[in-house]
Amino acid sequence: MKNPFELFGLEPNFLLNVQELSQKLRSMLQAVHPDRFASASDQEQLAAMQKTTQINDAYGILKSPVRRAQALLQLKTGIDGTGEVTVKEPMFLMQQLELREELESLANKKDMNGLMDFAEQVESMENKQIASINKFFDQNELETDKILAEIHKLQFLRKTLIDIEVAEEKILG
Amino acid sequence: MAYSEKVIDHYENPRNVGGFDKDEEGVGTGMVGAPACGDVMKLQIKVSEDGIIEDAKFKTYGCGSAIASSSLITEWVKGKSIDEAQEIKNTDIAEELALPPVKIHCSVLAEDAIKAAVTDYKEKKGK
């Protein structure tokens, strides 16, 4: 089976154009749409359905910076970075704990403006993290331990961003 | 997924939530995290001069199983020596809380946290 980058006709790079990606998704999904296969054989219909699943799975990987980085690492080094591991970096984790504490306090106060400002702050941290991961791939410095550590950091920031969204939705009801 | 009664009990009434000043004498701090689910766990122990854990506190941002695992381990380590505390196995926690296979990592995290706290205590003391 083709890797997600190949499937979407993309070079295996970490940075990608999200708009271009969703345009490609639409045209690829159209090509395998069930309407087009209404009078096709069962076998062709099944193949189109399977292709649809493959396209959607690949899109899910490509649009997520974490999963895209993991896929790229796997592709370039054969290392699977999706396993459950324990991170033990006191400084970084203390910072993450403080972010969660701040989120908890803003959520308890139902401070919507505060949450939006906070989200911006964490998003800028996420962007920096994405840039530092890109540097590794861009310069083809494939020191897997270092890349994995950077991807792990991105995962914690992403989790905080998801929790911010959940908190915002709760306030909005 | 259904949580066991023990998990729910620890989740709803977590024991020993909080923390100590990490610079205080006799305090060891363990910080661990699980990137796959984004859980962050801080576990602290207060150790007497003869190496007995007098008190333990935790703060965990994560799922019910992660909170229950850290809550339980703070209960277990109190009164134990630091060496005994390090011998606690994640499988004991998982068994006590009846954790399902997908949540085993939460108990691993708690085991890693207590080990990290003891290591931190020893490093501080060695200085």
Side-chain angles (χ1 to χ4, degrees), chain A residues 86-97, chain B residues 29-33 40-43 59 112-113 116-117 120:
Chain A
T86 301
V87 168
K88 296 171 191 163
E89 274 187 69
M91 295 284 272
F92 174 77
L93 289 169
M94 199 59 93
Q95 182 198 34
Q96 293 309 302
L97 195 79
Chain B
T29 303
M31 292 287 317
V32 292
V40 184
M41 189 179 284
K42 179 177 79 169
L43 201 150
K59 190 146 198 193
D112 290 340
D120 181 61

Side-chain angles (χ1 to χ4, degrees), chain A:
Chain A
M1 209 174 86
K2 286 180 176 173
N3 73 57
F5 298 93
E6 267 180 323
L7 194 68
F8 272 77
L10 297 167
E11 290 294 315
N13 293 324
F14 180 56
L15 287 192
L16 54 73
N17 184 328
V18 181
Q19 225 177 342
E20 200 182 310
L21 183 70
S22 62
Q23 276 166 3
K24 274 196 174 158
L25 173 74
R26 241 171 295 149
S27 69
M28 284 165 73
L29 284 179
Q30 268 167 13
V32 289
H33 195 278
D35 287 354
R36 284 177 181 260
F37 293 84
S39 55
S41 70
D42 286 355
Q43 208 179 357
E44 282 170 318
Q45 285 187 2
L46 182 68
M49 216 173 68
Q50 285 170 331
K51 187 86 196 218
T52 303
T53 309
Q54 278 174 23
I55 293 167
N56 283 322
D57 287 351
Y59 178 70
I61 292 169
L62 292 174
K63 75 167 180 186
S64 147
V66 168
R67 298 186 64 198
R68 186 166 71 239
Q70 287 170 337
L72 203 52
L73 186 67
Q74 170 101 52
L75 196 63
K76 291 191 183 258
T77 68
I79 301 269
D80 173 19
T82 61
E84 284 178 334
V85 294
T86 301
V87 168
K88 296 171 191 163
E89 274 187 69
M91 295 284 272
F92 174 77
L93 289 169
M94 199 59 93
Q95 182 198 34
Q96 293 309 302
L97 195 79
E98 281 163 9
L99 290 178
R100 304 287 168 87
E101 282 171 349
E102 188 172 345
L103 168 58
E104 190 177 49
S105 130
L106 290 168
N108 287 341
K109 284 187 285 190
K110 299 197 192 313
D111 181 352
M112 197 63 193
N113 287 331
L115 278 172
M116 282 158 74
D117 288 346
F118 182 60
E120 244 175 63
Q121 185 196 330
V122 181
E123 270 163 21
S124 107
M125 294 169 80
E126 184 186 44
N127 286 337
K128 274 188 199 146
Q129 196 54 36
I130 287 173
S132 85
I133 292 173
N134 184 52
K135 220 172 118 189
F136 279 103
F137 284 122
D138 210 29
Q139 301 175 346
N140 229 15
E141 288 174 28
L142 298 172
E143 293 167 83
T144 50
D145 287 351
K146 283 189 189 167
I147 298 179
L148 272 176
E150 296 298 318
I151 297 174
H152 289 155
K153 288 181 181 174
L154 184 61
Q155 287 178 287
F156 287 105
L157 292 169
R158 191 90 289 275
K159 170 68 174 163
T160 304
L161 284 167
I162 291 169
D163 286 353
I164 295 172
E165 274 177 38
V166 172
E168 287 177 342
E169 276 164 22
K170 239 185 203 167
I171 294 173
L172 296 173

Side-chain angles (χ1 to χ4, degrees), chain B residues 22-90:
Chain B
K22 65 176 173 51
D23 298 322
E24 195 184 320
E25 210 186 312
V27 169
T29 303
M31 292 287 317
V32 292
C37 51
D39 290 2
V40 184
M41 189 179 284
K42 179 177 79 169
L43 201 150
Q44 292 184 298
I45 49 173
K46 200 180 251 182
V47 186
S48 72
E49 275 181 21
D50 46 0
I52 302 296
I53 297 173
E54 292 177 320
D55 204 355
K57 298 262 185 224
F58 82 96
K59 190 146 198 193
T60 293
Y61 287 94
C63 65
S65 302
I67 290 168
S69 296
S70 31
S71 171
L72 178 69
I73 206 166
T74 54
E75 277 200 317
W76 277 1
V77 296
K78 278 195 210 177
K80 283 194 163 71
S81 72
I82 49 172
D83 293 332
E84 285 168 345
Q86 270 187 311
E87 279 166 24
I88 295 174
K89 291 276 165 290
N90 84 284

